[in-house]
Amino acid sequence: MTKYAEQILTLIHESDGHMTAEQIFLELKKTEPKVVQATIYNNLNTLCQKGLIRRMSIEGSPDRYDKIRKHDHLVCLRCGALSDINFQDLTVSLEDQLGEGIISYDLKVFYLCPTCRKNK
């Protein structure tokens, strides 16, 4: 793994949020002033392909990157806030409905966050 890939992986694993490529670039630039955006995108793609991180795609928002661990997401329809949440594992239920095994699933629940509900 390249030096930049290791640093990107560390940034994502240490983040409490869901960083965009731009946020990762700006953060890495603080310690690696010569890094370019293409390097960030190339390494993010490689890390996703290797299954070390996951890409979160939400319509109308830039892709965000997340740790690989079982969890689900809440997405605010108004402000776009993305939050982690742990729902009951649905694997068995999904496999029963499909009649066969699944590899994984990615659950995003869309709602209005408390701040947007308050400011409605």
Side-chain angles (χ1 to χ4, degrees):
M1 184 180 305
T2 68
K3 170 181 84 166
Y4 289 135
E6 287 179 14
Q7 291 173 321
I8 291 167
L9 190 58
T10 299
L11 279 173
I12 291 169
H13 281 275
E14 290 178 353
S15 171
D16 289 332
H18 304 84
M19 299 175 79
T20 65
E22 178 73 16
Q23 290 169 324
I24 292 167
F25 170 70
L26 293 173
E27 191 62 33
L28 193 56
K29 194 116 175 115
K30 292 176 183 176
T31 57
E32 300 291 341
K34 293 183 180 182
V35 71
V36 296
Q37 282 186 319
T39 300
I40 301 301
Y41 282 103
N42 290 336
N43 280 286
L44 286 169
N45 287 330
T46 300
L47 291 168
C48 286
Q49 289 169 354
K50 290 183 176 181
L52 298 174
I53 60 172
R54 69 177 172 173
R55 182 184 335 262
M56 299 288 305
S57 296
I58 299 169
E59 189 175 329
S61 297
D63 287 345
R64 300 179 201 179
Y65 298 87
D66 201 3
K67 307 165 189 64
I68 295 291
R69 68 171 171 74
K70 174 65 189 106
H71 66 284
D72 304 301
H73 294 95
L74 293 173
V75 182
C76 180
L77 286 172
R78 184 169 292 154
C79 72
L82 180 64
S83 307
D84 291 344
I85 189 163
N86 292 307
F87 290 118
Q88 179 180 343
D89 189 350
L90 299 174
T91 303
V92 172
S93 176
L94 293 171
E95 288 176 340
D96 286 347
Q97 291 177 57
L98 287 171
E100 57 187 86
I102 62 170
I103 297 167
S104 66
Y105 66 89
D106 183 18
L107 180 63
K108 291 178 227 157
V109 175
F110 296 89
Y111 79 132
L112 289 178
C113 71
T115 301
C116 288
R117 275 195 314 266
K118 188 174 92 176
N119 296 331
K120 197 170 169 183

